[in-house]
Amino acid sequence: MPGYFESTPGGTAAVALDEVEISILRNLAVQLLELIGPGDADSGTGDGEPADPFAGLFEDGPTKPPQDPALARLFPDAYEETADSAEFRRFTENDLRARKRGDALAVVRSLDALSPGRRGGAVLTLTEAEALQWLGTLNDLRLTLGSRLEVTDDEENELYHLPDSDERKPLVLAYLWLGGLQESLVATLQV
């Protein structure tokens, strides 16, 4: 189980993580939260319930794609840049941002709940619902890192052969490791 998710009895997924892996995953998820941006400042009553459940139906979201290439990958246009694309974005991006924030926050909370053992590692066990949140966040992290690394299908092979002196090397290693985690988590969900 070290380093990759495996299915466990009862339909859950588990992965053994050491302190460094926990720290890296948590740090990346927090950076993703910062990239996506804060949620609504006062969207509820304080008890987890929205003040007005229908208020979101009348809120307008952004109509233009984000300027940051990583955000543009996370929130792509649904259509060629047209009035339809702007309208679609206006009514969907806020909800998509909220879901991505919720997924990344669930990842941070699950990592924070781990109790590392004597050797500094812990086993993270996820329910099916948590696994789906993790899958979304792992995908978002890979999209973000891939955007920062300017990954294209043709260039991915080049990333495997970077010299240690290349400043992109740590990001590439994280990108590839997240891909392995993502792939192994998908495999556990298909069992």
Side-chain angles (χ1 to χ4, degrees):
M1 179 181 338
Y4 295 104
F5 283 96
E6 292 183 4
S7 54
T8 61
T12 60
V15 62
L17 299 168
D18 64 30
E19 283 184 84
V20 172
E21 292 168 326
I22 293 168
S23 177
I24 290 170
L25 284 167
R26 188 184 189 290
N27 187 302
L28 288 171
V30 167
Q31 288 182 50
L32 180 64
L33 284 165
E34 291 170 357
L35 177 68
I36 292 170
D40 296 335
D42 186 20
S43 61
T45 60
D47 60 359
E49 293 296 319
D52 179 0
F54 296 108
L57 295 175
F58 303 105
E59 290 178 10
D60 283 345
T63 57
K64 294 182 180 175
Q67 295 298 311
D68 183 316
L71 285 172
R73 286 285 291 156
L74 294 174
F75 307 105
D77 276 331
Y79 308 101
E80 294 293 323
E81 203 156 318
T82 64
D84 291 338
S85 179
E87 281 297 296
F88 186 82
R89 180 176 296 281
R90 187 176 127 213
F91 290 114
T92 61
E93 187 172 315
N94 286 341
D95 288 340
L96 185 56
R97 280 181 185 266
R99 187 188 53 116
K100 288 179 182 298
R101 265 192 304 275
D103 289 351
L105 190 55
V107 167
V108 170
R109 287 181 176 152
S110 64
L111 291 168
D112 286 347
L114 290 178
S115 299
R118 284 183 281 166
R119 295 186 181 166
V123 175
L124 174 69
T125 303
L126 303 174
T127 65
E128 186 175 341
E130 292 168 331
L132 293 174
Q133 290 176 307
W134 266 77
L135 197 55
T137 297
L138 289 171
N139 186 60
D140 291 343
L141 289 171
R142 279 186 42 86
L143 287 172
T144 301
L145 288 175
S147 174
R148 296 292 188 238
L149 291 166
E150 298 178 353
V151 171
T152 65
D153 290 336
D154 299 334
E155 292 177 355
E156 190 165 349
N157 290 335
E158 173 191 322
L159 295 178
Y160 290 109
H161 306 291
L162 290 177
D164 289 343
S165 60
D166 192 308
E167 65 185 24
R168 299 175 297 165
K169 185 81 173 208
L171 288 180
V172 169
L173 293 173
Y175 175 79
L176 296 172
W177 176 56
L178 291 170
L181 281 174
Q182 183 180 16
E183 187 177 326
S184 66
L185 185 53
V186 167
T188 67
L189 294 173
Q190 294 176 348
V191 173

